[in-house]
Amino acid sequence: MTRLAVLISGTGTNLQAIIDASASGQLDAEVALVISSRPDAAGLQRAAAAGIQTVSLSRAVYIEPWAADQLIAEQVSAAGCDYIALAGYMRKIGPELVEAFPQRVINLHPALLPAFKGAQAIAEAYAYGVKVTGVTVHFVDAQYDTGPIIAQRAIAVPEGQGLEQLTERIHAVEHQLYPEVLQLLSQGRVEVIGKNVHIH
Ligand code: GRF
């Protein structure tokens, strides 16, 4: 069975969605390891509650960003994980880690890339006044939010909808789409040719 390492920094609602999808059989993959960039990330409790091995990295580890990535690479290899799924991981992944796991690191982004890259995507899309936004799952490459796109799901922004409500709706889409994409990966149905990702 496909083994996943999930990297988090915060509440871990996407981690929870992955754990739940795995438990219900919707996802034929197991979360074998959760790594947090912060010792106080609430997502760590979710991992512990599900009996998943956790590693939490301190701020000091990130003084040398490659040192953190190296530690992550070691832990992921030791746990025998096939994929590294970023789920609200708020640190940049360095090129060495990406190269160590080619087409094995994926990210979830709460906007339709290449629009609204970065950490404030939902609020920036809302402030821009977009009528359609959504969620992207993509492979991680050496840049930020630029790797080959595996899947996107769009939602309309209705007249009068507040940012809070939009944020909730985006998260609901994330909780659906991320496990779906992980399932495609674990079934070996995802092929990358240059920038293009084909689903078989
Ligand atoms: C998600 O919106 C994800 O797209 C973004 O960070 C958020 C993580 O939320 N990168 P959670 O920790 O999974 O609840």
Side-chain angles (χ1 to χ4, degrees), residues 47-71:
I52 298 164
Q53 182 196 341
T54 61
V55 172
S56 84
L57 303 177
S58 66
R59 191 179 283 253
V61 175
Y62 286 96
I63 293 170
E64 284 289 342
W66 171 228
D69 280 358
Q70 204 163 8
L71 219 124

Side-chain angles (χ1 to χ4, degrees), residues 63-122:
I63 293 170
E64 284 289 342
W66 171 228
D69 280 358
Q70 204 163 8
L71 219 124
I72 292 168
E74 284 166 15
Q75 295 286 340
V76 169
S77 298
C81 293
D82 305 290
Y83 287 97
I84 301 175
L86 309 183
Y89 181 71
M90 301 308 278
R91 296 277 187 169
K92 194 173 184 300
I93 294 284
E96 295 91 345
L97 184 57
V98 176
E99 278 155 30
F101 296 91
Q103 290 167 13
R104 297 275 156 179
V105 186
I106 60 171
N107 184 42
L108 172 69
H109 186 75
L112 295 176
L113 291 174
F116 306 108
K117 299 184 173 89
Q120 301 301 326
I122 304 174

Side-chain angles (χ1 to χ4, degrees), residues 173-193:
V173 173
E174 290 185 317
H175 298 159
Q176 289 266 324
L177 187 64
Y178 212 12
E180 281 178 29
V181 170
L182 291 168
Q183 175 67 349
L184 294 174
L185 288 164
S186 56
Q187 290 174 324
R189 294 172 58 193
V190 179
E191 185 190 12
V192 189
I193 302 173

Side-chain angles (χ1 to χ4, degrees), residues 10-15 87-88 108-110 171 174:
T11 54
T13 62
N14 284 285
L15 165 66
L108 172 69
H109 186 75
H171 289 322
E174 290 185 317

